[in-house]
């Protein structure tokens, strides 16, 4: 639709489809995308003919996360990386808004399905895990690599979907896992070869769209309130504050400086190499832009 710049919205046969549409950037999240996701969900909510919402990505993958190449390599103060000393509540307000935009998929009265091919990495996994159901290609990948340095997943859905041990494993390592592993541990409802992904989505959507909207709403509310009673809102507040801290910690500032010095790709390789972050990084003076 012409009023969206980062996604496409279509609806038919009781299914609304939200397609993340920045394929040239692997559908990376920019400043406009979170709010547009919320608006698309609200459009589907307002349509009495829609029973199910499917979220997918255009091009080679679902979503590569926040556009960290753009953010990390940019000089000067940018959204998510303030000059020091930084104001954590300014950062919190920005990321809380994004988190709640993604959570519109969770709060929607209608069931939401994430269709994952390629990768749902970092912020892309945030979007996917705010959906009620995740269906993946077997060779697709999901995970939150910035948990190693420069990020914490703000919707904090990992523990509620997986329990503490698997959540700690994936959040502490930042590992990406494929669809087979995601299905095995219960993160994905189903994993199929990519050629069969649309058929798998159609099977689930087909079962759901035949159920009355009020019945879908009631059963979703029952399950959601159980998760929310476990403290989801407070967990998200912690995660959102910690995400800002991660980007302004000595190691977070080191990572951004390295991205500016050697490029984002090489900085990521250094971050993910398994070697300790450069010795003395915590004692380095902050470099003001």
């Amino acid at each position: 639709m012409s009023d969206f710049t980062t996604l496409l919205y279509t609806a038919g046969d009781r299914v609304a489809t939200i397609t993340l549409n920045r394929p040239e950037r692997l559908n990376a999240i920019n400043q406009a995308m979170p709010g547009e996701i919320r608006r698309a969900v609200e459009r589907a909510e307002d349509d009495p003919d829609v029973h199910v919402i499917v979220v997918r990505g255009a091009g080679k993958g679902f979503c590569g996360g926040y556009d960290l190449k753009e953010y990390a390599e940019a000089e000067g103060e940018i959204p998510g990386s303030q000059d020091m000393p930084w104001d954590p509540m300014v950062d919190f307000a920005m990321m809380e808004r994004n988190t709640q935009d993604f959570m519109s998929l969770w709060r929607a009265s209608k069931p939401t399905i994430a269709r994952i091919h390629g990768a749902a990495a970092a912020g892309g996994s945030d979007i996917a895990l705010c959906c009620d159901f995740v269906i993946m290609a077997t060779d697709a990948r999901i995970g939150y690599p910035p948990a190693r340095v420069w990020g914490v997943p703000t919707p904090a859905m990992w523990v509620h979907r997986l329990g503490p041990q698997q959540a700690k494993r994936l959040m502490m390592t930042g590992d990406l896992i494929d669809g087979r592993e995601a299905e095995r541990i219960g993160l994905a409802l189903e994993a199929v070869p990519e050629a069969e992904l649309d058929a798998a989505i159609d099977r689930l959507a087909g079962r759901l769209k035949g159920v009355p909207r009020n019945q879908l709403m009631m059963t979703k509310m029952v399950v959601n309130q159980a998760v929310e009673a476990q403290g989801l809102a407070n967990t998200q507040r912690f995660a959102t504050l910690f995400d800002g801290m991660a980007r302004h910690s000595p190691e977070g500032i080191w990572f951004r400086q390295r991205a500016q010095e050697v490029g984002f790709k090489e900085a990521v390789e250094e971050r993910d190499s398994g070697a300790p972050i450069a010795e003395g990084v915590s004692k380095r003076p902050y470099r003001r832009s």
Side-chain angles (χ1 to χ4, degrees), residues 71-235:
Y71 290 146
E73 290 184 0
E75 297 286 344
E77 187 168 292
I78 58 171
S81 187
Q82 301 172 37
D83 282 342
M84 301 298 287
W86 69 292
D87 185 335
M89 300 318 293
V90 169
D91 192 285
F92 176 84
M94 176 195 68
M95 289 307 301
E96 169 72 0
R97 183 172 58 250
N98 288 0
T99 299
Q100 295 310 315
D101 287 342
F102 297 153
M103 284 293 288
S104 65
L105 293 158
W106 169 266
R107 292 190 303 267
S109 65
K110 300 169 183 181
T112 54
I113 306 171
R115 175 199 182 279
I116 299 177
H117 74 296
S125 68
D126 289 342
I127 296 170
L129 296 184
C130 285
C131 292
D132 301 312
F133 303 100
V134 173
I135 295 183
M136 296 180 64
T138 50
D139 61 351
R141 295 167 298 148
I142 189 170
Y144 202 93
R148 298 179 182 126
V149 174
W150 223 50
V152 173
T154 60
M157 298 301 289
W158 294 91
V159 66
H160 295 287
R161 286 184 172 271
L162 292 173
Q165 183 167 245
Q166 288 288 4
K168 287 176 182 177
R169 169 208 164 192
L170 291 170
M171 290 176 65
M172 289 179 176
T173 65
D175 286 347
L176 291 163
I177 59 173
D178 65 18
R180 295 181 186 86
E181 176 73 357
E183 181 184 34
R184 186 186 70 79
I185 64 176
L187 190 66
L189 178 68
E190 187 176 3
V192 298
E194 186 171 339
E196 301 173 18
L197 193 52
D198 286 334
I201 296 292
D202 289 345
R203 280 196 302 273
L204 178 58
R207 293 293 295 154
L208 295 170
K209 71 185 183 183
V211 178
R213 286 182 296 112
N214 56 14
Q215 198 70 33
L216 292 168
M217 182 177 183
M218 288 186 283
T219 51
K220 180 168 177 174
M221 287 177 67
V222 168
V223 177
N224 279 16
Q225 72 81 31
V227 175
E228 288 158 7
Q230 294 172 357
L232 176 61
N234 282 334
T235 303

